Amino acid sequence: SSSLGEKLASLEKTLSGKVFGQDAAINGIAYTLRRSEAGLGDTQKPYASFIFAGPRGVGKRTLAAALSEVAYNGSLLTIAGSELEGEAAEAKLLGAPSGFKDAEKGGRLTEFVRLHPASAVLVRGADERGDTALGIFGEILANGCIRDGKGKLVGLPDKFVSSYSYNGYRGRKKR
């Protein structure tokens, strides 16, 4: 098993073999991850965060999955946009407060993070799902941690968090 530093040394080559036509994104990701691995980032916050935007079929999800495979041996939590909707979204992700139904289960995000210290989180369409989702992931990126439904602090310093969106893509103008 190679160390993360060894994997990052050849990250561009590895990812380019799995994701085609995204060289600029791959180079930027590799640079960011190597900088974090060298200790030049905030060690209390996620290793890196990325937002991949573009039309369907260009490799946004494939790139996140390939990156988690290389850096974290495939330890990837994918959160669908539908999980971020409605009043129960926060309880689904962080866990229900004590005394509520299913409080002992914990949240999908917080339990995954606890069980997989070095892992990746991919959020599909958070920008389209309202303030709750943006608030949760904004807090994670700003503070490097979040409180679960019971108030216990859950840190995410050895993670990378990525999201992808179809927003922000303008498409090519026809001539």
Side-chain angles (χ1 to χ4, degrees):
S1 159
S2 300
S3 74
L4 182 56
E6 291 169 346
K7 292 176 184 178
L8 293 178
S10 60
L11 187 62
E12 289 96 338
K13 182 179 178 184
T14 304
L15 289 179
S16 293
K18 297 174 183 269
V19 181
F20 304 99
Q22 296 296 336
D23 293 339
I26 289 169
N27 291 338
I29 288 166
Y31 171 80
T32 301
L33 291 176
R34 280 196 290 269
R35 185 183 66 209
S36 292
E37 177 68 10
L40 299 176
D42 186 336
T43 59
Q44 298 303 309
K45 293 186 180 177
Y47 221 53
S49 60
F50 306 105
I51 297 175
F52 305 128
R56 294 182 191 280
V58 297
K60 297 177 296 293
R61 188 196 181 297
T62 302
L63 180 55
L67 185 54
S68 78
E69 186 64 41
V70 171
Y72 299 117
N73 297 319
S75 184
L76 173 68
L77 171 65
T78 300
I79 299 172
S82 60
E83 294 178 73
L84 305 173
E85 293 181 313
E87 294 178 16
E90 190 169 335
K92 286 179 196 173
L93 293 175
L94 306 179
S98 296
F100 283 80
K101 180 182 176 192
D102 295 331
E104 69 283 349
K105 283 185 178 179
R108 188 155 180 258
L109 172 64
T110 52
E111 290 306 303
F112 178 83
V113 167
R114 281 191 187 110
L115 295 172
H116 303 91
S119 57
V121 178
L122 172 64
V123 185
R124 295 181 0 210
D127 60 326
E128 302 168 357
R129 303 301 174 174
D131 295 339
T132 300
L134 291 176
I136 289 170
F137 291 100
E139 185 175 336
I140 289 169
L141 296 176
N143 302 323
C145 59
I146 194 154
R147 294 198 178 275
D148 68 10
K150 296 178 183 174
K152 186 175 179 183
L153 203 58
V154 179
L156 289 93
D158 297 325
K159 316 282 180 279
F160 80 79
V161 178
S162 62
S163 177
Y164 67 82
S165 171
Y166 305 115
N167 290 336
Y169 173 72
R170 295 190 180 125
R172 294 182 183 227
K173 292 183 180 179
K174 293 183 181 180
R175 292 183 178 203

